[in-house]
Amino acid sequence: MQSLEASTAAISTRTHLYLTLAAFADEVVGTLARLIAYVGALALFAILALAALGQLPDWRDDEPALKPGWSTADRSHPAFALSRIDSSEKTASYTILRHPEGGRRDVMRWASAADRPLAELEVYREGGEFDVARPAMMDLAVQMGLGAATPLEQAGLIETKFGPVALFRPVGADKGSPACLGYLKRNEEPGLQISGFSCQGDTMPARRAAIACTLNRLTLLTSGNEPKLAEWFARAELKRRGCDLVGSPDWLLGAANAQLRGAL
């Protein structure tokens, strides 16, 4: 009898042990499952947080991503030149800038013996990047070495082979030494803009004449695939005058033009 009771007790003990181990295993599996779910949730939150942080600059600035802008085109060949008055004249620096949307800027610069900016001439052939709403005076002021917000006023007109060209100077510049003169000529067809500035000459009439002479000496070297540009320059050449005519009354459109005012 005792052996039967002992066997029954042993079986009961082993069954209880198995049940305990099974319960423990279930608990371990459940704990691991919860732990994996917890870690997965943390990883998901981390991914969402990183994605959100990556968008913070756009939310903060509320601006579209910057598009590629102007870059120097070192492999492009000059399309314009100035005919020389004499062989001793120094060659200007020539920079070509291109825009991914088709625009091109040919910029010629001259500097004094002290390496100070003396004059600049830019031919801008417009592409898809051209913004009609942007005030041209802002870019002209920057060209002249002034701030974009510097107000300019009209300083008269000069007659060139390209037709009348408007001159500009900083507001109030007549109070003292003559200021550098800026100039701007825009053409619709072909779409281009000729602008720049000149500090040549000690008087206002001399600087007006220097700009007129520069523009009349501007020539086209190559038009590329732009026949309208070649035609425009060919027609302008028929109206070209020499720089020795700067004293003639019809070279400058009247001395009274220098007295025009009006901030732009």
Side-chain angles (χ1 to χ4, degrees):
M1 253 340 249
Q2 293 180 350
S3 60
L4 180 60
E5 292 178 354
S7 298
T8 302
I11 293 172
S12 177
T13 301
R14 287 195 297 270
T15 301
H16 180 72
L17 179 61
Y18 291 151
L19 293 175
T20 301
L21 290 175
F24 178 74
D26 291 340
E27 184 67 23
V28 170
V29 172
T31 302
L32 288 176
R34 289 191 294 272
L35 182 61
I36 292 173
Y38 178 73
V39 172
L42 288 180
L44 179 60
F45 285 132
I47 293 173
L48 293 176
L50 290 175
L53 289 175
Q55 296 298 321
L56 283 179
D58 291 340
W59 296 340
R60 182 180 63 250
D61 298 334
D62 196 23
E63 295 179 354
L66 294 177
K67 297 181 179 180
W70 293 94
S71 60
T72 304
D74 295 324
R75 297 186 178 181
S76 298
H77 298 287
F80 306 94
L82 291 188
S83 57
R84 295 187 176 187
I85 296 179
D86 58 73
S87 59
S88 63
E89 189 176 9
K90 293 183 179 179
T91 303
S93 65
Y94 200 114
T95 304
I96 301 173
L97 303 173
R98 286 188 176 274
H99 196 280
E101 296 188 36
R104 169 169 168 154
R105 297 179 184 269
D106 288 66
V107 185
M108 287 177 272
R109 296 185 180 92
W110 293 263
S112 64
D115 203 28
R116 297 183 60 183
L118 186 61
E120 180 177 305
L121 169 63
E122 175 183 294
V123 181
Y124 171 26
R125 282 180 274 178
E126 303 160 0
E129 78 293 336
F130 180 71
D131 184 3
V132 180
R134 179 179 174 83
M137 295 301 98
M138 293 176 58
D139 294 330
L140 182 59
V142 173
Q143 276 185 274
M144 297 174 67
L146 308 171
T150 302
L152 301 178
E153 63 182 2
Q154 191 174 355
L157 297 171
I158 53 174
E159 182 61 44
T160 72
K161 68 179 184 180
F162 302 111
V165 175
L167 302 178
F168 300 91
R169 62 184 172 187
V171 173
D174 57 334
K175 300 176 181 179
S177 60
C180 299
L181 283 179
Y183 56 91
L184 180 65
K185 173 69 175 181
R186 187 167 185 273
N187 191 69
E188 295 290 342
E189 194 64 35
L192 62 81
Q193 192 169 272
I194 300 176
S195 62
F197 70 90
S198 178
C199 303
Q200 296 173 294
D202 297 327
T203 63
M204 190 64 68
R207 292 186 174 178
R208 289 161 57 93
I211 294 174
C213 180
T214 298
L215 294 177
N216 278 279
R217 294 166 56 203
L218 180 63
T219 59
L220 178 67
L221 298 178
T222 175
S223 63
N225 297 322
E226 300 180 57
K228 292 183 179 180
L229 179 65
E231 180 182 357
W232 191 66
F233 266 82
R235 290 182 178 179
E237 280 300 308
L238 300 176
K239 305 175 185 178
R240 182 178 180 179
R241 301 187 180 187
C243 290
D244 57 335
L245 298 177
V246 295
S248 65
D250 60 343
W251 179 265
L252 305 179
L253 297 183
N257 281 328
Q259 305 302 319
L260 293 178
R261 290 292 182 271
L264 299 178

